[in-house]
Structure formats: C-alpha cells, structure tokens
Amino acid sequence: MADLSTCDPCSFSRPDLCVVKSVHLDLEVDFNRQVLSGSAVLTLERIASDIDSVILDIRDIKVLRACDVDTNQTLAFTVSDPVGPFGSKLEIKLPQSKSVKICINYETSPKCTALQWLTAQQTAGKKYPYLFSQCEAIHARSLYPCQDSPAIKFPYTASVTAPKAITVLMSALRTGSEPCKSDPSKTVYKFNQAVPIPSYLLAIVAGDLESRDIGPRSKVWSEKKFVDAAAYEFAETEQQLRTGEELLTEYAWGQYDLLILPPSFPYGGMENPCLTFVTPTLLAGDRSLADVVAHEITHSWAGNLVTNKTFEHFWLNEGHTVFIERKITSRIHGGEPFRHFMLDCGWQELKNTVENTLKNGPYTCLVPDLKGVDPDDAFSNVPYEKGCALLFYLETILGGPAVFEPFLKAYVTQFNKQSLDTQQWKDFLYSYFTDKTEILDSVDWKTWFYGQGMPPYTPKFDTSLKSVCIDLCERWNNATDFTNFSPADLNNLSTGQKKEFLALLCLKEPLAVNKLQAMEDVYKLNNVKNSEVRFKWIMLGIRAKWTSVLPRAFEFINEQGRMKFVRPIYRALNEWTEIRQEAIGNFNANKDEMHTLTSTQLAKDLGLSS
Ligand SMILES: CC/C=C\C/C=C\C[C@@H](O)/C=C/C=C/C=C\[C@@H](O)CCCC(=O)O
Ligand SMILES: [Zn+2]
C-alpha cells in the first residue's frame, strides 16, 4: 500500500514534516474546456529542519511549474501515482529557509471529481453554463494541490476570473469584483476566508445567479427560477443562527448565505463556510424541510470550527451536528416532545441502515477503519445517527440537557479552530465531568466506538408526537376494509409525521397492492410534492412490487440526484428481479447527466463496478 501520511490514512501529505499555513488561488473558469487554470500559492512552514521537500495531494491535476515566490526560482517536482483511491502524490523540492512561499501553476482536468460542469441546456435558465464544487471528503485534491486532510487548517484568499455574465461565489467573504484588465468580457471576483478551514471546505460556484436578502447576515443565491421560492423557504435562517449562538458561541464566519444548487447536487446540504450549498429538493413550499439548513448552520461550530482530524472520526462532525441541530429546531418549533420525535425517527433510520443496508458490517462502526478506503464508499447515516444516539445517551445518564448543554458550549470553545480525534474528545468529556467519572466509566466505550451493529442500549423517547403515526400505521397494516379511512388522517399530521407514518409501514411486511391503491384513493399521495414524503411513498410502492409506482419512481430519480433518495430507490429497483434491467438501463441512459459522486456510488450499488 502507498506510503500514506502517518496521521491520515486518506492523504499522502506529511504535515508533521512541512505544513501549509495559508493558500491563495488565482484561477480562471474555462467553460469551453471545462477546466480551472491558474496558480495556487502555498505558504509553508518547515516542521522538521532536515526536510528538503513538501508532499501534497493531487488528483487529475496537470502541474505546469513550481517556483519560489520570493526568488522566482523554479523548483523541481515529481508526481507519483500509487495504486488506490487517493489520487497522486506531488513532491516539490524546497529552497533552504524556515518558511517559504511556493507558487504552483496548474490546471484541473475535465474529469475533476470535485467539480460538476453543466452546459446551459442542463440549467434551469438555459442561457449560461454552470459549475459547482463538492470537496468533502477527499476531492479538494482534484481542485487544487493541497494537504488534503482535515487535520490541517489554513485561511485562504482567491481571485477568480469568469465570463462577465457569470457570478462566482466561494466559501469565503466576497471582497469585491472588477472587470478583467486584460479582457473586458470577463470579471475578476475576489474572496477572503480569514478563519482557518480544512481543505474540504474550500468551495466554488459559477453560474447565472441572483440573490435575495433573507436576514442581516444572510442571502439566498440561485438561478432566477428558484430565488424567490428559496427566500420564502429559508426565512427562518436568522432565527436558526441566533438559536445556535444561544446554545454555543458567537457565529464566527460573518456572512451566512445559502446557495440552491441544480437538482444534480448529490447531498441535502454541504456546510461550506459563509455559503451553505443546498439541494432544491428542500423547496417544499411550507418550510417543512428547513431542518437541513439548521444542520448546515450547526456545522458552523461542529465540523467547521471543531473538525474531525481524519474521516475515521467523521462522527465528531456529524453526530454533534445532528444532536445540536435537533436542539435548535425544537427550540424554534415544538420543544422537547418534537426533539424526541426527531431523535426517535433518527433511531429508526439508523436501525434500517445498520440492519438492512449495511447488514451489521464494518461501516456500522462509529469509528471505522478507513485504511485504503475512499471515505465516499463508507458514507452512510451511521456517523450521523449513531453519533447523535451516543450524545443523547450521555445527556440522559449525565443529568439531562441542563447539565449537558454547557458541555457542548465548552467543547466548541476548547477545540475552536482545531482538529481532534475520538480519544481527544473522550479525554475532554472526562476532564469536564470530573464529578461523574463513575457514570462515564459505566459506558461501554469499546462497543460504542468500535462495535458493529446497533448501539449497546435502547433509548426511551417521549412518543407523544409519534403515537399517532404508529396508530395509523397499525390501522392500515391490519385493515381488510378501507372504508374507515379519510383524508383527515393525514391532513392533521405534520410533514415529519406523514414521513414517519410511511417509514413505519416500510418496516412492515410488504403491503398488498390493493391496500396501496386504497391508500392512494384516500390520500392522493401520488401527487405529493414534498420530497421526503414522496420518497417514502415510492419506497413503499417498490417494496410491494406495485407496478404503478414505476413511472413515478423513474421520474423522481431522473429529476434530481440527491443520493439520500436515488441510492435507496435504485437499490430497491435492482432487488426487484423483473425490473432490474429497466433500472440498469435507466441508469446507463442518465449517468452522464449525474454528478460523478452519484454515478460512481450508483454503479457500485447496481453491481456495475467494484
Ligand atoms: C464513516 C464514514 C466515514 C467517512 C465519510 C466522510 C465523508 C463522506 C463523503 O461522501 C462526504 C459526505 C458529505 C456529506 C454532505 C452532506 C450530508 O451531511 C447530507 C447527507 C444526507 C442528505 O442528503 O441530506
Ligand atoms: Zn452534516
């Protein structure tokens, strides 16, 4: 196996020998060639006095030249391509000095895994092309030469040149724009991210974008078609930010904007600092899916300020974020009963993933071994929901929210702008609760961190919001006569309760087709627009092998590319023997329009690649 860094199994870099202290990118967006070209200036600090080179991660990057900025001396470099999913190792010889600033002239490849390039035809407006990035977990190395490990944090500045009609945004504060001096048909955009970030939080978007103000420090950005709907949908953003500040500390990033991406965006949201990226599947029209924004806002502390040292400790980012996100949303809507309802739904989602999708395998560990593994291949809701469950368990045994919430504030304060691992987190927990060592010693830490399967405990939740979902599920599951059901059954439920009602039915034996048709006759779910409810209704139909679900299933997976939805639907269609070839044919017909992350994972799900 390649000589990966001693501290991060997913990076060749050796920050223990020489570390990147800051980055400046000067890039031009070339939509015709679908490349970014220009330079990366890295300020380095030698840690070991006897080293004479720096090792960086790259993938599919063409390095044209490396030089010492102060002397313009050309620096020798080598690129090696070890076998494995981690790209290439760029080694650059360094001049003799304690700190040095190097300039790397390079260009990305059209197959850069961090970027999706869309033609004008693929956008909503059909007039201009579009480009957006997704660097988490280890795709930053295809965007710029870097030490692509979350153990390292650095501030960055950038200057990006693009055609005049195109707006460019980054995960940074906008510090101005001006016509390009050498070509008035282009605009140069300037950015500054003064808060140190891990490499995966560098992000860029370029497209025909409009914005609307939604708060004193927030805008929504999207193509014209979505911008007013987005302004309505995410109107609670400032309230969510303030609730996060009440719980934790002052928001450190200045601006909090939201970018609504094209439908191919593979995730619900991505916590890029100053500019959260979100999927348009959140545009429900009733703000019922804005909890994803609360999640991304929470990452402003858990993940972006306090960061997992490697992706084996991803639960530190996601488990804390989910646990705190649910505190934020329940302080705004519904209080503790609502928090418990969300925790309970999360527990069920975890159970379904652990037992049915991952079959209690190695990726059900809270802290998985990722040696030789691309983190994308290990991704699931386990670090989110098992991590959240551990924190809920600890909150319960340590004395409840009034005792545990001050710990969360102390945690983000202690590790502000740092990266840590699970051992450091546990040591801090013990150091904070010095009077509760006996309780902490009673926790089965080994099983929680490294055990496969469900956690070693069963939580007790307040079920006041869930009982109506359970009752309606049991009524339908046991019904032989459907005359006693009415639209009012669902009209009185929240979106979350409708979703949970369908999720509970998905855990039962597959329903008879005539029962599903009766449900459709009463509730008219075939026309539902809310993506979460639509997803569960489609999954219920596929489980029952209800052929009339198929047109709606294919329509849904072809109109958006959020992996949370398309992967389970493709997997379920693939398990439906008579439909498998149609599913594979649909995938092959649409894969070129998909984000690379999505098509790569779907090919593996369908057994078309290893
Ligand atoms: C144990 C897992 C270890 C490593 C995985 C780390 C990163 C995986 C990589 O695929 C990046 C994931 C980024 C996720 C971004 C947003 C998600 O939080 C949202 C996912 C669910 C949704 O679509 O709502
Ligand atoms: Zn997250």
Side-chain angles (χ1 to χ4, degrees), residues 136 269 271 295-296 299 302 314 317-318 321-322 384:
E136 195 180 27
E271 63 269 21
H295 180 96
E296 307 311 338
H299 272 307
F314 190 48
N317 280 18
E318 299 301 345
T321 294
V322 170
Y384 297 76

Side-chain angles (χ1 to χ4, degrees), residues 134 136-137 266-271 292 295-296 299 311-312 314 318 363 365-366 368 370 375-376 378-380 383-384 562-564:
Q134 169 59 35
E136 195 180 27
Y267 296 111
M270 180 62 213
E271 63 269 21
V292 172
H295 180 96
E296 307 311 338
H299 272 307
F311 285 103
E312 293 172 320
F314 190 48
E318 299 301 345
Y363 295 157
C365 300
L366 188 61
L370 291 188
D376 287 348
F379 180 76
S380 76
Y384 297 76
R562 186 175 175 186
M563 289 197 281
K564 175 183 180 181

